[in-house]
Amino acid sequence: MELEKLLERCRPQLGRVLFHFRIPPEDAEDLLQETFLILISKWDSVRTPEAWLAATLRNRCIIYWRRRRARIYEAMDDAMLDLLAESQPPPQERSDLRSDLAEALARLEPNQRSILKLRFGWGCTSQEAGERIGHGAASVRKMTQRSIARLNADLAAHGFAELPVA
């Protein structure tokens, strides 16, 4: 009964949080359920449930979008790998593609080139690459995602937007 009253009092504020973060309706209910489950598990230590709910829902929304962005980059990586794994083009076309890719890589910042070389050229894990450049694995993942995004934007700006992506 107390939870129902709490939900009614907080409904407008929680709705504003979900609207602010542009959470799709099909995912909004899941985030609210997660938030309420966490509240129930921590009920004894929560002093002001209304404020706690709003703050926790904000955090859940931030985590939601981080995970969505990560999935986009992972899907993009898979699509790029699939494209590269398909039947090999003629040597001249492959040479042109390597040349275009080398030019695009040359336009990146030196730290972006080095992180991509470590991760994809040498096959280092995030942890291994982080040890070599003095960063944590999470920082390396973030740097890798930003570098790939910049490389993709550069390639798209130079006419590679029409390439079929599997």
Side-chain angles (χ1 to χ4, degrees):
M1 188 65 141
E2 189 175 337
L3 280 176
E4 290 175 9
K5 290 178 184 177
L6 176 63
L7 178 60
E8 286 305 314
R9 285 194 314 267
C10 295
R11 184 182 301 271
Q13 183 179 14
L14 298 177
R16 283 191 299 272
V17 170
L18 293 169
F19 179 78
H20 172 76
F21 283 96
R22 296 185 177 113
I23 303 295
E26 60 272 10
D27 295 330
E29 187 172 334
D30 292 340
L31 288 176
L32 284 170
Q33 287 177 1
E34 282 179 28
T35 304
F36 273 99
L37 285 174
I38 295 168
L39 173 65
I40 290 169
S41 70
K42 297 180 182 245
W43 186 258
D44 294 333
S45 62
V46 174
R47 284 186 259 155
T48 54
E50 293 87 355
W52 188 94
L53 272 173
T56 303
L57 183 59
R58 278 188 204 97
N59 291 337
R60 304 282 2 152
C61 290
I62 290 168
I63 291 168
Y64 169 84
W65 283 115
R66 283 181 185 160
R67 287 181 180 154
R68 289 279 302 254
R69 278 192 298 272
R71 274 189 252 135
I72 289 170
Y73 287 124
E74 289 169 6
M76 181 188 63
D77 289 346
D78 291 342
M80 289 176 74
L81 290 173
D82 288 342
L83 182 62
L84 294 173
E86 290 179 5
S87 63
Q88 294 294 317
Q92 177 63 38
E93 187 177 328
R94 198 168 59 227
S95 174
D96 291 345
L97 183 59
R98 284 180 189 237
S99 174
D100 292 337
L101 185 57
E103 288 175 19
L105 285 167
R107 289 188 289 267
L108 292 176
E109 298 291 326
N111 63 336
Q112 292 175 322
R113 278 194 305 270
S114 67
I115 198 71
L116 290 177
K117 186 174 186 176
L118 284 170
R119 294 283 287 125
F120 301 108
W122 295 349
C124 293
T125 65
S126 296
Q127 185 69 37
E128 293 168 338
E131 290 171 3
R132 291 182 186 207
I133 62 173
H135 289 283
S139 177
V140 169
R141 281 190 295 275
K142 195 178 294 184
M143 290 169 57
T144 302
Q145 288 176 346
R146 288 178 183 160
S147 299
I148 290 171
R150 173 111 187 262
L151 182 62
N152 278 327
D154 184 83
L155 288 170
H158 287 86
F160 285 90
E162 293 87 27
L163 283 178
V165 178

